[in-house]
Amino acid sequence: MTTKHEFFVDMTCEGCSGAVTRVLNKLGGVQFEIDLPNKKVFIESDKDTDVLLETLKKTGKAANYVGPK
C-alpha cells in the first residue's frame, strides 16, 4: 500500500528541485510533487521513509521528514 509523505528539503531554485526530481526518478516506484516556494516535497510510495529521506539527502540539500500527508 502506498502512503503519501511530506518532506522539507532546503531548495532555493529550479536547479535544486531538478536535483530532487533526478534522485527520485532514479529511485523509482514513487510519485511525487515539489512545492518549491514552501520547500516541500510530497512523495507517494510504499518505500520506507528512511529510504526516501536518504534519497533526498543525496541532493546535498538539508532534508527532514515532516510526517504522513
Side-chain angles (χ1 to χ4, degrees):
M1 182 176 108
T2 62
T3 308
K4 194 166 192 177
H5 303 284
E6 180 179 343
F7 293 87
F8 169 84
V9 182
D10 192 20
M11 301 174 290
T12 55
C13 64
E14 290 291 325
C16 299
S17 62
V20 169
T21 298
R22 279 191 303 279
V23 297
L24 289 175
N25 282 337
K26 196 172 186 181
L27 178 64
V30 297
Q31 291 186 330
F32 60 93
E33 55 187 271
I34 297 172
D35 179 356
L36 183 57
N38 293 311
K39 301 183 177 185
K40 294 192 176 181
V41 179
F42 302 96
I43 303 174
E44 193 170 329
S45 175
D46 59 358
K47 297 189 185 310
D48 189 74
T49 55
D50 291 336
V51 171
L52 298 173
L53 185 58
E54 287 307 310
T55 300
L56 290 171
K57 287 181 177 179
K58 288 179 183 177
T59 62
K61 305 292 173 194
N64 296 309
Y65 179 56
V66 176
K69 180 67 179 143

Short mmCIF file of all heavy atoms in Angstrom, two decimals:
data_model
loop_
_atom_site.label_atom_id
_atom_site.label_comp_id
_atom_site.label_asym_id
_atom_site.label_seq_id
_atom_site.Cartn_x
_atom_site.Cartn_y
_atom_site.Cartn_z
N MET A 1 0.84 -1.19 0.00
CA MET A 1 0.00 0.00 0.00
C MET A 1 0.89 1.25 0.00
O MET A 1 1.85 1.33 0.75
CB MET A 1 -0.88 -0.01 1.25
CG MET A 1 -1.83 1.15 1.32
SD MET A 1 -2.91 1.04 2.74
CE MET A 1 -2.21 2.33 3.71
N THR A 2 0.55 2.20 -0.83
CA THR A 2 1.34 3.42 -0.89
C THR A 2 0.83 4.42 0.14
O THR A 2 -0.36 4.48 0.44
CB THR A 2 1.32 4.06 -2.28
OG1 THR A 2 -0.01 4.42 -2.59
CG2 THR A 2 1.86 3.13 -3.33
N THR A 3 1.76 5.17 0.67
CA THR A 3 1.45 6.21 1.64
C THR A 3 2.04 7.50 1.13
O THR A 3 3.10 7.51 0.50
CB THR A 3 2.09 5.87 3.01
OG1 THR A 3 1.69 4.56 3.38
CG2 THR A 3 1.64 6.84 4.08
N LYS A 4 1.36 8.61 1.41
CA LYS A 4 1.88 9.91 0.99
C LYS A 4 2.61 10.54 2.18
O LYS A 4 2.08 10.60 3.28
CB LYS A 4 0.74 10.81 0.52
CG LYS A 4 1.23 12.03 -0.24
CD LYS A 4 0.09 12.69 -0.97
CE LYS A 4 0.63 13.71 -1.95
NZ LYS A 4 -0.44 14.33 -2.72
N HIS A 5 3.84 10.97 1.93
CA HIS A 5 4.69 11.54 2.97
C HIS A 5 5.08 12.96 2.59
O HIS A 5 5.24 13.29 1.42
CB HIS A 5 5.97 10.72 3.13
CG HIS A 5 5.73 9.29 3.45
ND1 HIS A 5 5.35 8.85 4.69
CD2 HIS A 5 5.78 8.19 2.67
CE1 HIS A 5 5.20 7.54 4.67
NE2 HIS A 5 5.45 7.11 3.44
N GLU A 6 5.28 13.78 3.62
CA GLU A 6 5.72 15.16 3.40
C GLU A 6 7.14 15.32 3.93
O GLU A 6 7.44 14.91 5.05
CB GLU A 6 4.78 16.12 4.13
CG GLU A 6 5.15 17.58 3.97
CD GLU A 6 4.18 18.51 4.68
OE1 GLU A 6 3.05 18.09 5.03
OE2 GLU A 6 4.56 19.66 4.91
N PHE A 7 8.00 15.92 3.11
CA PHE A 7 9.38 16.18 3.49
C PHE A 7 9.70 17.65 3.29
O PHE A 7 9.18 18.28 2.37
CB PHE A 7 10.35 15.36 2.62
CG PHE A 7 10.27 13.89 2.84
CD1 PHE A 7 9.35 13.12 2.15
CD2 PHE A 7 11.12 13.25 3.73
CE1 PHE A 7 9.27 11.75 2.34
CE2 PHE A 7 11.05 11.88 3.92
CZ PHE A 7 10.13 11.13 3.23
N PHE A 8 10.55 18.19 4.15
CA PHE A 8 11.12 19.52 3.95
C PHE A 8 12.48 19.32 3.28
O PHE A 8 13.28 18.52 3.74
CB PHE A 8 11.31 20.24 5.29
CG PHE A 8 12.13 21.49 5.16
CD1 PHE A 8 11.54 22.68 4.80
CD2 PHE A 8 13.50 21.47 5.38
CE1 PHE A 8 12.30 23.84 4.65
CE2 PHE A 8 14.27 22.61 5.24
CZ PHE A 8 13.67 23.79 4.88
N VAL A 9 12.72 20.03 2.18
CA VAL A 9 14.02 19.99 1.51
C VAL A 9 14.43 21.42 1.25
O VAL A 9 13.66 22.20 0.69
CB VAL A 9 13.96 19.20 0.18
CG1 VAL A 9 15.34 19.14 -0.46
CG2 VAL A 9 13.44 17.78 0.41
N ASP A 10 15.62 21.80 1.66
CA ASP A 10 16.08 23.18 1.55
C ASP A 10 16.43 23.53 0.10
O ASP A 10 17.59 23.63 -0.27
CB ASP A 10 17.28 23.41 2.48
CG ASP A 10 17.60 24.88 2.63
OD1 ASP A 10 16.71 25.72 2.34
OD2 ASP A 10 18.73 25.21 3.02
N MET A 11 15.38 23.71 -0.71
CA MET A 11 15.55 24.04 -2.12
C MET A 11 15.39 25.55 -2.31
O MET A 11 14.48 26.14 -1.75
CB MET A 11 14.47 23.33 -2.95
CG MET A 11 14.46 21.83 -2.85
SD MET A 11 13.03 21.09 -3.71
CE MET A 11 11.68 21.59 -2.65
N THR A 12 16.29 26.12 -3.11
CA THR A 12 16.22 27.58 -3.32
C THR A 12 15.96 27.95 -4.78
O THR A 12 15.70 29.11 -5.06
CB THR A 12 17.52 28.24 -2.85
OG1 THR A 12 18.62 27.62 -3.52
CG2 THR A 12 17.69 28.09 -1.35
N CYS A 13 16.07 26.98 -5.69
CA CYS A 13 15.93 27.32 -7.11
C CYS A 13 15.46 26.11 -7.91
O CYS A 13 15.33 25.02 -7.38
CB CYS A 13 17.27 27.82 -7.66
SG CYS A 13 18.56 26.55 -7.61
N GLU A 14 15.25 26.35 -9.20
CA GLU A 14 14.83 25.27 -10.10
C GLU A 14 15.88 24.16 -10.18
O GLU A 14 15.55 23.00 -10.35
CB GLU A 14 14.55 25.82 -11.50
CG GLU A 14 13.31 26.70 -11.59
CD GLU A 14 12.03 25.92 -11.40
OE1 GLU A 14 11.95 24.76 -11.83
OE2 GLU A 14 11.09 26.50 -10.81
N GLY A 15 17.14 24.54 -10.06
CA GLY A 15 18.22 23.53 -10.08
C GLY A 15 18.08 22.57 -8.91
O GLY A 15 18.31 21.37 -9.05
N CYS A 16 17.71 23.12 -7.76
CA CYS A 16 17.51 22.28 -6.57
C CYS A 16 16.36 21.31 -6.78
O CYS A 16 16.47 20.13 -6.47
CB CYS A 16 17.21 23.15 -5.35
SG CYS A 16 18.49 24.32 -4.90
N SER A 17 15.24 21.82 -7.28
CA SER A 17 14.09 20.94 -7.49
C SER A 17 14.39 19.94 -8.60
O SER A 17 13.91 18.80 -8.56
CB SER A 17 12.83 21.75 -7.81
OG SER A 17 12.97 22.50 -8.99
N GLY A 18 15.24 20.32 -9.56
CA GLY A 18 15.66 19.38 -10.60
C GLY A 18 16.47 18.24 -10.03
O GLY A 18 16.33 17.09 -10.44
N ALA A 19 17.32 18.55 -9.04
CA ALA A 19 18.12 17.51 -8.38
C ALA A 19 17.21 16.54 -7.64
O ALA A 19 17.42 15.33 -7.67
CB ALA A 19 19.13 18.15 -7.42
N VAL A 20 16.19 17.07 -6.98
CA VAL A 20 15.22 16.22 -6.27
C VAL A 20 14.51 15.31 -7.27
O VAL A 20 14.36 14.10 -7.04
CB VAL A 20 14.21 17.08 -5.47
CG1 VAL A 20 13.06 16.23 -4.95
CG2 VAL A 20 14.91 17.79 -4.32
N THR A 21 14.09 15.87 -8.38
CA THR A 21 13.42 15.10 -9.42
C THR A 21 14.31 13.97 -9.92
O THR A 21 13.87 12.83 -10.05
CB THR A 21 13.01 16.02 -10.59
OG1 THR A 21 12.10 17.02 -10.11
CG2 THR A 21 12.36 15.23 -11.71
N ARG A 22 15.59 14.27 -10.16
CA ARG A 22 16.52 13.25 -10.66
C ARG A 22 16.69 12.10 -9.68
O ARG A 22 16.62 10.94 -10.07
CB ARG A 22 17.89 13.87 -10.97
CG ARG A 22 17.94 14.56 -12.31
CD ARG A 22 19.36 14.93 -12.71
NE ARG A 22 20.05 15.78 -11.74
CZ ARG A 22 19.89 17.09 -11.65
NH1 ARG A 22 19.06 17.72 -12.47
NH2 ARG A 22 20.55 17.79 -10.75
N VAL A 23 16.93 12.40 -8.40
CA VAL A 23 17.16 11.30 -7.44
C VAL A 23 15.91 10.46 -7.21
O VAL A 23 16.00 9.25 -7.05
CB VAL A 23 17.76 11.79 -6.08
CG1 VAL A 23 19.12 12.41 -6.29
CG2 VAL A 23 16.83 12.69 -5.33
N LEU A 24 14.74 11.10 -7.22
CA LEU A 24 13.51 10.34 -7.01
C LEU A 24 13.17 9.49 -8.23
O LEU A 24 12.71 8.36 -8.10
CB LEU A 24 12.35 11.27 -6.65
CG LEU A 24 12.44 11.90 -5.26
CD1 LEU A 24 11.31 12.89 -5.05
CD2 LEU A 24 12.44 10.84 -4.17
N ASN A 25 13.40 10.02 -9.43
CA ASN A 25 13.17 9.23 -10.64
C ASN A 25 14.12 8.04 -10.70
O ASN A 25 13.74 6.95 -11.14
CB ASN A 25 13.31 10.09 -11.90
CG ASN A 25 12.09 10.96 -12.13
OD1 ASN A 25 11.00 10.66 -11.68
ND2 ASN A 25 12.29 12.04 -12.86
N LYS A 26 15.35 8.24 -10.25
CA LYS A 26 16.34 7.17 -10.24
C LYS A 26 15.93 6.07 -9.24
O LYS A 26 16.14 4.88 -9.49
CB LYS A 26 17.70 7.75 -9.87
CG LYS A 26 18.86 6.85 -10.17
CD LYS A 26 20.17 7.58 -9.96
CE LYS A 26 21.34 6.75 -10.40
NZ LYS A 26 22.61 7.43 -10.18
N LEU A 27 15.36 6.48 -8.11
CA LEU A 27 14.90 5.53 -7.10
C LEU A 27 13.78 4.65 -7.67
O LEU A 27 13.76 3.45 -7.48
CB LEU A 27 14.41 6.28 -5.85
CG LEU A 27 13.86 5.45 -4.71
CD1 LEU A 27 14.93 4.53 -4.14
CD2 LEU A 27 13.29 6.35 -3.63
N GLY A 28 12.85 5.27 -8.36
CA GLY A 28 11.73 4.54 -8.98
C GLY A 28 10.68 4.13 -7.97
O GLY A 28 10.91 4.11 -6.76
N GLY A 29 9.50 3.82 -8.47
CA GLY A 29 8.40 3.36 -7.62
C GLY A 29 7.81 4.45 -6.74
O GLY A 29 7.21 4.15 -5.72
N VAL A 30 8.00 5.70 -7.15
CA VAL A 30 7.47 6.81 -6.36
C VAL A 30 6.73 7.79 -7.27
O VAL A 30 7.06 7.94 -8.44
CB VAL A 30 8.58 7.58 -5.60
CG1 VAL A 30 9.27 6.69 -4.60
CG2 VAL A 30 9.59 8.19 -6.54
N GLN A 31 5.71 8.41 -6.72
CA GLN A 31 5.06 9.54 -7.36
C GLN A 31 5.30 10.70 -6.43
O GLN A 31 5.23 10.55 -5.20
CB GLN A 31 3.56 9.29 -7.53
CG GLN A 31 3.25 8.21 -8.55
CD GLN A 31 1.77 8.11 -8.80
OE1 GLN A 31 0.96 8.37 -7.92
NE2 GLN A 31 1.40 7.70 -10.00
N PHE A 32 5.57 11.87 -6.98
CA PHE A 32 5.90 12.99 -6.11
C PHE A 32 5.50 14.32 -6.73
O PHE A 32 5.29 14.43 -7.93
CB PHE A 32 7.40 13.00 -5.80
CG PHE A 32 8.29 13.13 -7.01
CD1 PHE A 32 8.72 14.37 -7.44
CD2 PHE A 32 8.68 12.01 -7.72
CE1 PHE A 32 9.52 14.49 -8.56
CE2 PHE A 32 9.49 12.12 -8.83
CZ PHE A 32 9.91 13.37 -9.26
N GLU A 33 5.35 15.30 -5.87
CA GLU A 33 5.16 16.67 -6.31
C GLU A 33 6.06 17.56 -5.47
O GLU A 33 6.30 17.29 -4.29
CB GLU A 33 3.70 17.09 -6.25
CG GLU A 33 3.05 16.93 -4.90
CD GLU A 33 1.55 17.21 -4.95
OE1 GLU A 33 1.17 18.38 -4.76
OE2 GLU A 33 0.79 16.26 -5.16
N ILE A 34 6.57 18.60 -6.10
CA ILE A 34 7.50 19.51 -5.45
C ILE A 34 6.85 20.87 -5.29
O ILE A 34 6.32 21.42 -6.25
CB ILE A 34 8.80 19.62 -6.27
CG1 ILE A 34 9.50 18.26 -6.35
CG2 ILE A 34 9.73 20.67 -5.68
CD1 ILE A 34 10.69 18.21 -7.29
N ASP A 35 6.88 21.39 -4.07
CA ASP A 35 6.38 22.73 -3.76
C ASP A 35 7.61 23.59 -3.46
O ASP A 35 8.04 23.69 -2.31
CB ASP A 35 5.43 22.66 -2.57
CG ASP A 35 4.88 24.02 -2.15
OD1 ASP A 35 5.29 25.04 -2.74
OD2 ASP A 35 4.05 24.05 -1.23
N LEU A 36 8.21 24.16 -4.51
CA LEU A 36 9.47 24.90 -4.37
C LEU A 36 9.34 26.12 -3.46
O LEU A 36 10.19 26.31 -2.59
CB LEU A 36 10.00 25.29 -5.75
CG LEU A 36 11.35 26.00 -5.79
CD1 LEU A 36 12.45 25.20 -5.11
CD2 LEU A 36 11.74 26.31 -7.24
N PRO A 37 8.30 26.96 -3.60
CA PRO A 37 8.21 28.15 -2.72
C PRO A 37 8.19 27.81 -1.23
O PRO A 37 8.74 28.53 -0.41
CB PRO A 37 6.90 28.83 -3.15
CG PRO A 37 6.65 28.34 -4.54
CD PRO A 37 7.23 26.94 -4.59
N ASN A 38 7.56 26.69 -0.88
CA ASN A 38 7.47 26.28 0.53
C ASN A 38 8.52 25.24 0.92
O ASN A 38 8.50 24.74 2.04
CB ASN A 38 6.07 25.77 0.84
CG ASN A 38 5.05 26.88 0.74
OD1 ASN A 38 5.23 27.95 1.30
ND2 ASN A 38 3.99 26.64 0.00
N LYS A 39 9.40 24.89 -0.04
CA LYS A 39 10.48 23.94 0.20
C LYS A 39 9.97 22.59 0.69
O LYS A 39 10.52 21.99 1.62
CB LYS A 39 11.51 24.51 1.19
CG LYS A 39 12.13 25.80 0.70
CD LYS A 39 13.18 26.31 1.65
CE LYS A 39 13.84 27.56 1.10
NZ LYS A 39 14.93 28.02 1.93
N LYS A 40 8.90 22.11 0.07
CA LYS A 40 8.32 20.83 0.48
C LYS A 40 8.27 19.87 -0.70
O LYS A 40 8.12 20.27 -1.84
CB LYS A 40 6.91 21.03 1.03
CG LYS A 40 6.95 21.84 2.32
CD LYS A 40 5.65 21.82 3.03
CE LYS A 40 5.84 22.57 4.33
NZ LYS A 40 4.63 22.59 5.11
N VAL A 41 8.42 18.59 -0.38
CA VAL A 41 8.29 17.53 -1.37
C VAL A 41 7.29 16.52 -0.81
O VAL A 41 7.43 16.07 0.33
CB VAL A 41 9.65 16.84 -1.65
CG1 VAL A 41 9.48 15.72 -2.67
CG2 VAL A 41 10.69 17.85 -2.13
N PHE A 42 6.28 16.21 -1.60
CA PHE A 42 5.28 15.23 -1.21
C PHE A 42 5.52 13.98 -2.05
O PHE A 42 5.52 14.04 -3.27
CB PHE A 42 3.87 15.77 -1.47
CG PHE A 42 3.60 17.06 -0.72
CD1 PHE A 42 3.75 18.28 -1.35
CD2 PHE A 42 3.22 17.03 0.60
CE1 PHE A 42 3.51 19.47 -0.68
CE2 PHE A 42 2.98 18.21 1.30
CZ PHE A 42 3.13 19.43 0.65
N ILE A 43 5.76 12.86 -1.37
CA ILE A 43 6.10 11.62 -2.06
C ILE A 43 5.07 10.55 -1.71
O ILE A 43 4.79 10.31 -0.54
CB ILE A 43 7.50 11.11 -1.65
CG1 ILE A 43 8.55 12.19 -1.92
CG2 ILE A 43 7.84 9.82 -2.40
CD1 ILE A 43 9.94 11.83 -1.40
N GLU A 44 4.53 9.91 -2.75
CA GLU A 44 3.62 8.79 -2.56
C GLU A 44 4.38 7.52 -2.94
O GLU A 44 4.83 7.39 -4.08
CB GLU A 44 2.38 8.97 -3.42
CG GLU A 44 1.27 8.03 -3.05
CD GLU A 44 -0.03 8.38 -3.74
OE1 GLU A 44 -0.28 9.56 -4.01
OE2 GLU A 44 -0.80 7.44 -4.00
N SER A 45 4.55 6.63 -1.97
CA SER A 45 5.36 5.43 -2.20
C SER A 45 5.09 4.39 -1.13
O SER A 45 4.59 4.71 -0.05
CB SER A 45 6.84 5.83 -2.16
OG SER A 45 7.67 4.70 -2.27
N ASP A 46 5.47 3.15 -1.44
CA ASP A 46 5.39 2.09 -0.42
C ASP A 46 6.77 1.86 0.20
O ASP A 46 6.94 0.98 1.02
CB ASP A 46 4.84 0.79 -1.01
CG ASP A 46 5.67 0.27 -2.18
OD1 ASP A 46 6.66 0.92 -2.55
OD2 ASP A 46 5.32 -0.80 -2.71
N LYS A 47 7.74 2.70 -0.18
CA LYS A 47 9.09 2.57 0.38
C LYS A 47 9.14 3.16 1.79
O LYS A 47 8.36 4.03 2.14
CB LYS A 47 10.11 3.28 -0.51
CG LYS A 47 10.19 2.66 -1.90
CD LYS A 47 11.33 3.23 -2.68
CE LYS A 47 11.37 2.74 -4.11
NZ LYS A 47 11.28 1.32 -4.29
N ASP A 48 10.09 2.68 2.59
CA ASP A 48 10.27 3.15 3.95
C ASP A 48 10.69 4.62 3.95
O ASP A 48 11.43 5.07 3.07
CB ASP A 48 11.36 2.29 4.63
CG ASP A 48 11.46 2.57 6.11
OD1 ASP A 48 10.56 2.13 6.84
OD2 ASP A 48 12.42 3.25 6.50
N THR A 49 10.23 5.37 4.94
CA THR A 49 10.56 6.80 5.00
C THR A 49 12.06 7.04 5.12
O THR A 49 12.57 8.03 4.60
CB THR A 49 9.83 7.50 6.17
OG1 THR A 49 10.13 6.82 7.38
CG2 THR A 49 8.34 7.53 5.94
N ASP A 50 12.79 6.13 5.76
CA ASP A 50 14.24 6.28 5.87
C ASP A 50 14.90 6.21 4.49
O ASP A 50 15.84 6.96 4.20
CB ASP A 50 14.84 5.20 6.78
CG ASP A 50 14.45 5.40 8.24
OD1 ASP A 50 14.13 6.54 8.62
OD2 ASP A 50 14.48 4.42 8.99
N VAL A 51 14.40 5.33 3.64
CA VAL A 51 14.92 5.20 2.28
C VAL A 51 14.65 6.48 1.50
O VAL A 51 15.52 7.01 0.81
CB VAL A 51 14.28 3.99 1.56
CG1 VAL A 51 14.65 3.96 0.08
CG2 VAL A 51 14.70 2.69 2.24
N LEU A 52 13.44 7.00 1.63
CA LEU A 52 13.07 8.23 0.93
C LEU A 52 13.92 9.41 1.42
O LEU A 52 14.41 10.20 0.61
CB LEU A 52 11.58 8.53 1.13
CG LEU A 52 10.62 7.48 0.59
CD1 LEU A 52 9.19 7.81 0.98
CD2 LEU A 52 10.74 7.34 -0.92
N LEU A 53 14.12 9.50 2.72
CA LEU A 53 14.90 10.60 3.28
C LEU A 53 16.36 10.52 2.83
O LEU A 53 16.94 11.53 2.43
CB LEU A 53 14.81 10.59 4.82
CG LEU A 53 15.49 11.75 5.53
CD1 LEU A 53 14.92 13.10 5.07
CD2 LEU A 53 15.33 11.62 7.03
N GLU A 54 16.94 9.34 2.87
CA GLU A 54 18.33 9.18 2.42
C GLU A 54 18.47 9.52 0.94
O GLU A 54 19.47 10.10 0.52
CB GLU A 54 18.83 7.76 2.71
CG GLU A 54 19.11 7.49 4.17
CD GLU A 54 20.04 8.51 4.81
OE1 GLU A 54 21.13 8.78 4.24
OE2 GLU A 54 19.69 9.06 5.87
N THR A 55 17.45 9.17 0.17
CA THR A 55 17.47 9.50 -1.27
C THR A 55 17.45 11.01 -1.45
O THR A 55 18.22 11.56 -2.25
CB THR A 55 16.26 8.85 -1.98
OG1 THR A 55 16.36 7.44 -1.82
CG2 THR A 55 16.23 9.20 -3.45
N LEU A 56 16.60 11.71 -0.71
CA LEU A 56 16.53 13.17 -0.81
C LEU A 56 17.85 13.82 -0.38
O LEU A 56 18.27 14.82 -0.96
CB LEU A 56 15.38 13.72 0.04
CG LEU A 56 13.97 13.40 -0.48
CD1 LEU A 56 12.92 13.79 0.54
CD2 LEU A 56 13.72 14.11 -1.82
N LYS A 57 18.51 13.24 0.61
CA LYS A 57 19.78 13.80 1.09
C LYS A 57 20.90 13.67 0.06
O LYS A 57 21.89 14.39 0.13
CB LYS A 57 20.19 13.15 2.42
CG LYS A 57 19.33 13.62 3.58
CD LYS A 57 19.76 12.99 4.88
CE LYS A 57 18.94 13.53 6.05
NZ LYS A 57 19.34 12.92 7.31
N LYS A 58 20.73 12.77 -0.91
CA LYS A 58 21.73 12.62 -1.97
C LYS A 58 21.84 13.87 -2.82
O LYS A 58 22.80 14.03 -3.57
CB LYS A 58 21.39 11.41 -2.87
CG LYS A 58 21.62 10.09 -2.19
CD LYS A 58 21.25 8.95 -3.12
CE LYS A 58 21.41 7.61 -2.42
NZ LYS A 58 20.98 6.50 -3.27
N THR A 59 20.86 14.77 -2.73
CA THR A 59 20.91 16.02 -3.49
C THR A 59 21.92 16.98 -2.88
O THR A 59 22.27 17.98 -3.49
CB THR A 59 19.53 16.72 -3.49
OG1 THR A 59 19.17 17.04 -2.14
CG2 THR A 59 18.47 15.86 -4.14
N GLY A 60 22.37 16.71 -1.65
CA GLY A 60 23.27 17.62 -0.97
C GLY A 60 22.53 18.71 -0.21
O GLY A 60 23.14 19.57 0.42
N LYS A 61 21.22 18.67 -0.25
CA LYS A 61 20.39 19.66 0.45
C LYS A 61 19.95 19.09 1.80
O LYS A 61 19.81 17.88 1.96
CB LYS A 61 19.12 19.99 -0.37
CG LYS A 61 19.41 20.46 -1.77
CD LYS A 61 20.08 21.80 -1.76
CE LYS A 61 20.52 22.22 -3.13
NZ LYS A 61 21.44 23.33 -3.10
N ALA A 62 19.74 19.98 2.76
CA ALA A 62 19.20 19.56 4.05
C ALA A 62 17.78 19.04 3.81
O ALA A 62 17.00 19.67 3.11
CB ALA A 62 19.18 20.72 5.02
N ALA A 63 17.46 17.88 4.39
CA ALA A 63 16.14 17.29 4.21
C ALA A 63 15.67 16.72 5.54
O ALA A 63 16.44 16.15 6.29
CB ALA A 63 16.19 16.19 3.15
N ASN A 64 14.37 16.89 5.81
CA ASN A 64 13.77 16.37 7.03
C ASN A 64 12.42 15.76 6.69
O ASN A 64 11.70 16.26 5.82
CB ASN A 64 13.55 17.47 8.07
CG ASN A 64 14.83 18.09 8.54
OD1 ASN A 64 15.74 17.39 8.93
ND2 ASN A 64 14.92 19.40 8.47
N TYR A 65 12.08 14.70 7.43
CA TYR A 65 10.75 14.09 7.28
C TYR A 65 9.78 14.88 8.14
O TYR A 65 10.01 15.05 9.33
CB TYR A 65 10.82 12.63 7.72
CG TYR A 65 9.50 11.91 7.62
CD1 TYR A 65 8.79 11.86 6.43
CD2 TYR A 65 8.95 11.28 8.73
CE1 TYR A 65 7.58 11.19 6.33
CE2 TYR A 65 7.74 10.60 8.64
CZ TYR A 65 7.06 10.57 7.44
OH TYR A 65 5.86 9.92 7.35
N VAL A 66 8.70 15.37 7.53
CA VAL A 66 7.70 16.14 8.27
C VAL A 66 6.66 15.20 8.85
O VAL A 66 6.31 15.27 10.02
CB VAL A 66 7.04 17.20 7.36
CG1 VAL A 66 5.94 17.93 8.10
CG2 VAL A 66 8.09 18.18 6.84
N GLY A 67 6.17 14.26 8.03
CA GLY A 67 5.18 13.29 8.51
C GLY A 67 4.29 12.84 7.38
O GLY A 67 4.41 13.28 6.24
N PRO A 68 3.33 11.94 7.71
CA PRO A 68 2.40 11.49 6.68
C PRO A 68 1.51 12.64 6.26
O PRO A 68 1.18 13.50 7.07
CB PRO A 68 1.61 10.38 7.37
CG PRO A 68 1.91 10.48 8.81
CD PRO A 68 3.12 11.32 8.99
N LYS A 69 1.14 12.65 5.00
CA LYS A 69 0.32 13.74 4.46
C LYS A 69 -1.12 13.35 4.52
O LYS A 69 -1.54 12.32 4.12
CB LYS A 69 0.76 14.04 3.03
CG LYS A 69 0.00 15.14 2.35
CD LYS A 69 0.26 16.46 3.01
CE LYS A 69 -0.53 17.53 2.27
NZ LYS A 69 -1.06 18.52 3.09
#
